[in-house]
Structure formats: C-alpha cells, structure tokens
Amino acid sequence: MRVSAIAALAAASLTSGPAGAPEAATARPCALHPVLIEDFDDLSIHRNRIGPARWTAHTPWWGDFGDARFADPGPDGPFSVKDGVLSITASKDAEGRWQSGLIAAADSTGAGAGTRYGYFETRMRMPTGAGTWPAFWLAALRPAKTTKDAPVEVDVIEYYGHLRSGYRAVLHVWYRDKALRRGKGHTVEVPEGALERDFHTYGVDISPQAIVFFLDRKPVWSQPTPKELDGPLYPLVNLALGSGFPIDKTPNPSVLRVDYVHVYGRGPGPPGGCRPGLPPASA
C-alpha cells in the first residue's frame, strides 16, 4: 500500500469540520482536520502566487539563502513529479552555477495553507553528499510587508550532507532587534546514512503548551510553545546547498525526494493540552 493511501486512512479518522468550530470544539476539542493534503499526484507550483497553484517557488519575502539559487518552475527547473513523488534537484548550469528549488505553501500577500495549532508532516528521502542542506520548516502565514515583529520559525528537519548520523530540529523566535532574538536546537541521532537510504517521516505537533518534534511518528524532542506564536504557520520544503559548509564535493546532480506534505489543524484544545501527533489509523 502506498504511504499516501495509509495517510488517507489516518485522515479518514479525523474530523472534517473547520478548526475551532463550536460543535467540534465542544465534542472533540483535540480533533484534527485536514488543512493541506499534498500527495504530489501533479505539479502545482507557481513562481510567486498561490491560487490555483498550491505552492510557490520562493520564500514569500524573497529571501533566498544558501549557495544555489532557487529557480522558477518550468521545463529546465528543479521540480519534477513521478509516481506521486516530488523531486527537487540541485544541479549546475552550463556556466557551472548551481540552481536548486524551494516550495512554500504561501505567497507574499499572506494567501496560503497553514494553521496555528495542529500537526505538520512530510515524508522524504535525503540526498547523498557533502554540501547538501535539505529542510522541512514552518514560517508565519501573513503578508510579507507586515511590520509586525517576532515571527516564529520551526525547523522540523535541517539535514547537513556531511553529517550523516543525525539532523537538526530548531525553534527560532525572530525579532528585528537582534538582542531579543532567541532559538534552541537539538540533534536527532540516526544510524549513519539511514535518512539517505530510505524514506522517513518528519513531523511536528504544535499546541498552546508545547511544540513536539517527531521522527517516523515517534517523539524525539519538545519545547514550550513561545508566547510569540500568535497566528498560523505554513510549510516550506527546500534543497539548499552550503550553509557555510563547502560544496566543492557536492554531487551534481543531487536530489531530494518528497512523497507528501500533510497539514492538520485543531483548536487550542483543553487546558491540559492534547495528545501530540496523529491518532492511530484505527482510532
């Protein structure tokens, strides 16, 4: 059975009502509802606009990073879909310059798919090779030109290709005033090269009480939810290069494979909090 089908069985056990709906909040305060179920059965990426495309190919604030430019979708672009799997390819052009890809479920107007509380998950297979820097992360869903301070960023996974026995999970709170910024990270250890040999799921549950990180549906780290989390977050996936590490030995091409990105929302839940993560498919 394809993993997307398994996920669909899990989704069938979730409520389909809107987050925070009075009946759902009263009867099942911890119930999840689908917000974004992306199984990559087609390629729906626009350069910079959500609708009808489900993804954009740049950060909404046009803040590229790393040592490969994030390219637009198109015949020579970094994105392709086959058998329900998205490939994001980093490669050199004829002049030897690197290009790669990023997808964001939002655009600069604040349009997009996200939730304040709920569960975010992807299933990916990492590229092999030093210099690769793939990530699955969450950013604040709001217009890029907003003057509001302190967006929360949740890095569910940052994988550094030369460090094959683990990955980083990080929670950031960004302020324009650098003295007020804060963040905390954790290294999740895995067998050497395990994340490159096969697909794995990477998830995070967000509630008013805690942000809980998951690997293959098992919790691996948690942090108290920062008071600055005051609105929805949306997912991004990218294959960047570098991050201060050399890319002279990075394989050309390098490919990040993404089976799905699923987002489920819920309300704040009861005072004592909700059980983090997806319920069992049989629940």
Side-chain angles (χ1 to χ4, degrees):
M1 181 183 292
R2 263 178 43 83
V3 167
S4 56
I6 296 172
L9 289 175
S13 70
L14 311 177
T15 178
S16 59
E23 296 95 354
T26 301
R28 300 180 62 197
C30 292
L32 294 162
H33 68 277
V35 172
L36 173 66
I37 303 299
E38 175 61 83
D39 291 322
F40 297 110
D41 295 321
D42 63 346
L43 194 61
S44 182
I45 306 172
H46 188 273
R47 177 172 179 264
N48 60 1
R49 187 171 64 251
I50 294 291
R54 298 184 295 274
W55 300 90
T56 60
H58 299 273
T59 62
W61 59 94
W62 287 90
D64 280 8
F65 51 88
D67 297 324
R69 70 179 182 89
F70 293 138
D72 295 341
D76 298 320
F79 310 108
S80 62
V81 163
K82 182 178 180 181
D83 298 329
V85 174
L86 170 70
S87 292
I88 303 178
T89 300
S91 60
K92 291 182 179 180
D93 63 18
E95 285 74 42
R97 297 170 298 191
W98 282 99
Q99 74 165 23
S100 192
L102 172 148
I103 59 171
D107 65 24
S108 62
T109 70
T115 183
R116 182 177 182 182
Y117 303 127
Y119 183 72
F120 300 74
E121 183 178 86
T122 188
R123 183 174 185 262
M124 303 194 298
R125 181 177 177 180
M126 299 301 153
T128 297
T132 58
W133 180 26
F136 172 55
W137 51 298
L138 316 178
L141 182 60
R142 61 195 195 193
K145 292 184 178 180
T146 183
T147 58
K148 193 175 183 180
D149 213 338
V152 171
E153 176 185 321
V154 181
D155 299 331
V156 185
I157 174 173
E158 290 185 273
Y159 186 69
Y160 299 96
H162 66 291
L163 301 172
R164 305 176 66 232
S165 59
Y167 67 88
R168 294 286 288 171
V170 187
L171 175 62
H172 295 280
V173 180
W174 298 109
Y175 281 90
R176 286 186 291 271
D177 183 347
K178 293 183 179 181
L180 298 176
R181 295 177 184 175
R182 63 187 194 276
K184 192 166 185 179
H186 173 73
T187 298
V188 180
E189 296 182 353
V190 300
E192 181 88 11
L195 306 186
E196 303 166 9
R197 289 191 292 269
D198 203 352
F199 284 86
H200 294 268
T201 63
Y202 308 90
V204 66
D205 186 281
I206 300 177
S207 72
Q209 293 80 22
I211 296 179
V212 183
F213 296 78
F214 290 79
L215 171 62
D216 292 329
R217 302 274 175 92
K218 297 178 181 179
V220 291
W221 187 52
S222 67
Q223 285 291 288
T225 301
K227 65 182 186 299
E228 291 88 350
L229 180 63
D230 58 1
L233 302 170
Y234 67 90
L236 304 95
V237 176
N238 61 261
L239 174 53
L241 300 183
S243 185
F245 299 105
I247 62 172
D248 57 309
K249 296 182 181 179
T250 301
N252 177 32
S254 293
V255 183
L256 170 66
R257 293 178 173 85
V258 189
D259 185 37
Y260 65 74
V261 176
H262 291 171
V263 179
Y264 303 94
R266 74 160 80 86
C274 298
R275 177 182 175 179
L278 286 177
S282 59

